[in-house]
């Protein structure tokens, strides 16, 4: 047992060494908490059934952290996805409240005698995410597909020719198909980190975007994910290309945004800043913005019913479909140089 505990603490220290090399304080805090929780479960004798799974998870996280700190884009994207809820337990914590609509009337039962046969309820936030291309890994659904899933046979309609020819469709199969479609489509959406309330009054007024919880309570909607924590704002600031003020400073031009840039978050890493910024720009593609536009003609009680959700992407997000490049290390450059030398020798021999 002492040897096992020593190996676990050695694994934990290796993780901490890699965590200290991560480029932002948020990433360092997230993985300290995550690895610490996993190690505490491993050391708990009452949870022996979880020990093999947790040990594999910590070892996998260590490999991904080592790859991310070595400049591997795929490993770095995995680290970002885990920390910002694109995968893992944080994604489930963001998704779970959106799977239901508080206060919405229950749909009628498909099987009259079975209470659990009611079809799934799509919340307003979920409807916006499922029907928008910006928040989908595949093609967006149509509003009609939410009422009648495309995988549901035409025979499910009792007035269809198939139902008249073959008989009524099984109600139990219809319940299972609707539930399966709901679960499958939830896996294909990219979740936001917060809701933004858009208070754009008119064409001549400047747009006003609010994310604090009091503003959400004013318009009668609920918060999502890491609402009002500043995580998404920091993500956008890290992905933004810094203004080129070097030439203006040389020319003696005034720089009004100097104090703002000094207080903006910056990377603290041995990796190239351009590589890191590119990873955060690609992360913004996988992190849509859920915007709520309240109705100006409705009263406070009717704003929730008449307001609408929209899904957009950050202006700092990368374009979809761009290739992901890896930063070449010293060993990679040595191998490339060796291959070029061999290729030069073979071409000379062929000429002779």
């Amino acid at each position: 047992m002492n040897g096992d505990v020593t190996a676990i603490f050695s694994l934990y220290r290796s993780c901490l060494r890699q965590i200290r090399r991560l480029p932002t304080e948020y990433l360092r805090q997230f993985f300290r908490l995550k690895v610490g929780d996993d190690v505490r479960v491993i050391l708990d004798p009452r949870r022996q059934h979880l020990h093999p799974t947790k040990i594999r998870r910590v070892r996998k996280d260590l490999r991904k952290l080592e790859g991310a700190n070595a400049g591997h884009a795929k490993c770095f994207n995995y680290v970002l996805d885990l920390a910002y809820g694109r995968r893992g337990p944080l994604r489930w914590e963001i998704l779970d409240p959106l799977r239901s609509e508080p206060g919405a009337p229950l749909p009628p039962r498909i099987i009259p005698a079975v209470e659990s046969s009611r079809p799934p309820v799509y919340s307003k936030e979920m409807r916006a995410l499922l029907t928008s291309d910006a928040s989908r890994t595949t093609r967006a659904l149509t509003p009609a597909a939410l009422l009648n899933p495309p995988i549901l046979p035409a025979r499910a309609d009792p007035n269809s020719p198939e139902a008249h020819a073959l008989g009524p469709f099984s109600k139990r199969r219809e319940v299972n198909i609707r539930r399966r479609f709901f679960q499958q489509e939830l896996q294909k959406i990219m979740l936001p980190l917060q809701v933004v309330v858009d208070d754009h009054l008119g064409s001549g007024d400047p747009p006003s975007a609010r994310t604090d919880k009091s503003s959400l309570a004013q318009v009668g909607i609920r918060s999502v994910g890491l609402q009002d924590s500043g995580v998404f704002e920091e993500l956008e600031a890290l992905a933004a290309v810094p203004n080129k003020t070097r030439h203006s400073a040389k020319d003696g031009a005034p720089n009004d945004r100097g104090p703002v840039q000094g207080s903006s978050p910056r990377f603290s890493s041995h990796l190239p800043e351009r590589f890191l910024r590119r990873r955060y720009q690609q992360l913004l593609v996988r992190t849509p913005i859920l915007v709520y536009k309240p109705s100006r003609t409705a009263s406070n009680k009717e704003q929730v019913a008449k307001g609408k959700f929209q899904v957009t992407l950050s202006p700092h997000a990368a374009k979809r479909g761009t290739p992901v490049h890896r930063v070449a290390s010293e060993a990679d450059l040595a191998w490339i140089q060796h291959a070029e030398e061999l290729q030069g020798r073979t071409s000379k021999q062929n000429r002779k």
Side-chain angles (χ1 to χ4, degrees), residues 109-112 117 152 155-158 168-178:
R109 303 171 185 173
I110 298 176
I111 305 175
S117 66
L152 194 65
R155 187 180 163 195
D157 183 6
F169 189 68
S170 169
K171 295 296 183 182
R172 172 52 59 189
R173 286 189 61 191
E174 181 180 353
V175 171
N176 294 339
I177 288 173
R178 288 182 180 274

Side-chain angles (χ1 to χ4, degrees), residues 136 149 199 216 240 301 307:
R136 294 270 299 180
D199 284 344
L216 269 62
K301 295 182 179 180

Side-chain angles (χ1 to χ4, degrees), residues 100-107 121:
S100 60
E101 180 74 29
L106 293 176
V121 177

Side-chain angles (χ1 to χ4, degrees), residues 126-148:
M126 192 60 65
R127 286 177 178 272
L129 294 171
L130 288 171
T131 56
S132 173
D133 287 323
S135 56
R136 294 270 299 180
T137 57
T138 57
R139 182 178 296 179
L141 296 176
T142 60
L146 301 181
L147 297 175
N148 295 309

Side-chain angles (χ1 to χ4, degrees), residues 74-147:
K74 189 174 181 180
C75 293
F76 204 98
N77 288 339
Y78 178 89
V79 168
L80 292 179
D81 287 346
L82 205 59
Y84 288 93
R86 307 303 93 195
R87 62 167 70 222
L90 183 56
R91 172 183 167 83
W92 171 253
E93 291 178 10
I94 298 174
L95 173 63
D96 189 37
L98 302 179
R99 297 171 71 246
S100 60
E101 180 74 29
L106 293 176
R109 303 171 185 173
I110 298 176
I111 305 175
V114 180
E115 176 65 25
S116 62
S117 66
R118 298 182 188 273
V121 177
Y122 294 90
S123 63
K124 295 180 179 179
E125 299 93 339
M126 192 60 65
R127 286 177 178 272
L129 294 171
L130 288 171
T131 56
S132 173
D133 287 323
S135 56
R136 294 270 299 180
T137 57
T138 57
R139 182 178 296 179
L141 296 176
T142 60
L146 301 181
L147 297 175

Side-chain angles (χ1 to χ4, degrees), residues 43 46 53-55 83 87-88 129 137 158 163 170 177 185 188 240 252 271 273 282 285 328 349:
L43 296 175
R46 296 170 298 178
T53 303
K54 292 295 183 179
I55 290 174
R87 62 167 70 222
L129 294 171
T137 57
S170 169
I177 288 173
E185 295 305 315
K188 300 176 185 178
L271 295 172
E273 188 173 342
Q282 291 174 348
V285 177
Q349 291 176 359

Side-chain angles (χ1 to χ4, degrees), residues 20-283:
R20 283 194 291 265
R21 303 179 66 196
L22 291 175
T24 65
E25 184 61 27
Y26 173 76
L27 291 179
R28 292 190 286 268
Q29 290 181 359
F30 177 86
F31 278 97
R32 281 195 203 103
L33 295 173
K34 182 182 184 305
V35 175
D37 290 342
D38 291 339
V39 171
R40 275 188 286 272
V41 173
I42 295 172
L43 296 175
D44 190 353
R46 296 170 298 178
R47 302 184 180 181
Q48 289 186 359
H49 62 287
L50 295 176
H51 289 181
T53 303
K54 292 295 183 179
I55 290 174
R56 285 196 301 268
R57 184 173 297 173
V58 174
R59 287 174 178 168
K60 180 181 179 181
D61 289 343
L62 177 59
R63 291 195 303 270
K64 295 296 184 180
L65 289 169
E66 290 174 346
N69 287 324
H72 296 268
K74 189 174 181 180
C75 293
F76 204 98
N77 288 339
Y78 178 89
V79 168
L80 292 179
D81 287 346
L82 205 59
Y84 288 93
R86 307 303 93 195
R87 62 167 70 222
L90 183 56
R91 172 183 167 83
W92 171 253
E93 291 178 10
I94 298 174
L95 173 63
D96 189 37
L98 302 179
R99 297 171 71 246
S100 60
E101 180 74 29
L106 293 176
R109 303 171 185 173
I110 298 176
I111 305 175
V114 180
E115 176 65 25
S116 62
S117 66
R118 298 182 188 273
V121 177
Y122 294 90
S123 63
K124 295 180 179 179
E125 299 93 339
M126 192 60 65
R127 286 177 178 272
L129 294 171
L130 288 171
T131 56
S132 173
D133 287 323
S135 56
R136 294 270 299 180
T137 57
T138 57
R139 182 178 296 179
L141 296 176
T142 60
L146 301 181
L147 297 175
N148 295 309
I151 62 175
L152 194 65
R155 187 180 163 195
D157 183 6
N159 298 322
S160 64
E162 290 85 353
H164 289 297
L166 302 174
F169 189 68
S170 169
K171 295 296 183 182
R172 172 52 59 189
R173 286 189 61 191
E174 181 180 353
V175 171
N176 294 339
I177 288 173
R178 288 182 180 274
R179 192 170 300 165
R180 189 184 311 120
F181 177 77
F182 178 74
Q183 296 295 340
Q184 289 175 350
E185 295 305 315
L186 291 188
Q187 303 302 320
K188 300 176 185 178
I189 61 173
M190 295 176 286
L191 299 172
L193 289 177
Q194 61 184 8
V195 181
V196 178
V197 178
D198 186 6
D199 284 344
H200 188 56
L201 299 177
S203 58
D205 299 322
S208 173
R210 298 179 295 164
T211 59
D212 55 291
K213 294 182 180 180
S214 59
S215 299
L216 269 62
Q218 251 181 3
V219 296
I221 60 174
R222 55 182 171 177
S223 59
V224 172
L226 305 179
Q227 190 77 39
D228 200 19
S229 63
V231 173
F232 185 77
E233 288 78 6
E234 181 188 28
L235 198 161
E236 279 194 309
L238 292 171
V241 178
N243 292 333
K244 298 179 180 179
T245 58
R246 191 172 300 174
H247 297 289
S248 62
K250 289 181 179 179
D251 299 337
N255 183 14
D256 295 334
R257 299 186 62 183
V260 178
Q261 290 179 351
S263 61
S264 61
R266 300 187 64 180
F267 296 111
S268 174
S269 175
H270 59 284
L271 295 172
E273 188 173 342
R274 184 176 180 180
F275 168 82
L276 297 172
R277 191 184 310 121
R278 188 63 179 168
R279 302 287 78 76
Y280 275 81
Q281 290 171 354
Q282 291 174 348
L283 176 61

